[in-house]
Amino acid sequence: MKKLILSSTILLLLIACKKPTPAKAVSVLQTVEFKVFQAADYSAPVYNGVEAEVRLAVSKQLSNNSQMVLWDTLIPYQLLRAYPLMQTPLFISKKFEIVRDSEKLRFGKVIRYRDALNRISLNATGEDIPASVTNKLIQVDL
């Protein structure tokens, strides 16, 4: 009887000390789309020689708050008039996989303008994309 109680107690202790299995990380697929187009009619003479450069990026914020660039591209300086019209924009679509509870995507866009006198101005924006958003459309209107 003592052996039965002792072995039952040992068995219960072994079961109680078993480590819990960690929850599995859930991956989420997110699509980020950029729509690049002219925001206005640039045919007026005041826009002669005005150029724009567009830099787009998508990064992943990790659980330790560090950033990792997943994708970036640069559309080099070209005349504003050379960019597509609003009716026929340039679409860039990228898919990224993240871990829902520990990572999040962030996009950034930087538009640099250069006028005929070589003066430069800058417009930069960025934003987090929550894991619940499966498709994010970013308008890049010049």
Side-chain angles (χ1 to χ4, degrees), residues 8 15-16 18 22 24 28-29 32 44 50 61 85 87 138 142:
S8 297
I15 291 172
K18 185 178 176 187
K24 290 194 174 195
V28 176
L29 187 64
V32 180
V50 177
Q61 182 175 351
L85 299 174
Q87 300 84 352
I138 297 112
L142 306 164

Side-chain angles (χ1 to χ4, degrees), residues 71-140:
W71 173 85
D72 69 344
T73 192
L74 174 70
I75 302 171
Y77 277 110
Q78 61 183 1
L79 292 173
L80 278 176
R81 295 176 183 143
Y83 280 93
L85 299 174
M86 187 184 308
Q87 300 84 352
T88 57
L90 167 65
F91 273 105
I92 301 170
S93 181
K94 296 291 178 183
K95 294 184 184 300
F96 304 96
E97 188 172 337
I98 64 163
V99 177
R100 181 182 6 191
D101 295 330
S102 62
E103 301 174 341
K104 81 172 107 168
L105 288 183
R106 180 170 184 77
F107 80 85
K109 66 177 178 176
V110 178
I111 305 169
R112 291 174 29 145
Y113 297 96
R114 182 169 61 196
D115 67 13
L117 299 173
N118 211 23
R119 293 179 295 201
I120 295 177
S121 62
L122 176 77
N123 181 1
T125 58
E127 183 180 311
D128 289 339
I129 304 171
S132 61
V133 175
T134 57
N135 193 15
K136 177 71 174 177
L137 175 64
I138 297 112
Q139 293 195 23
V140 184

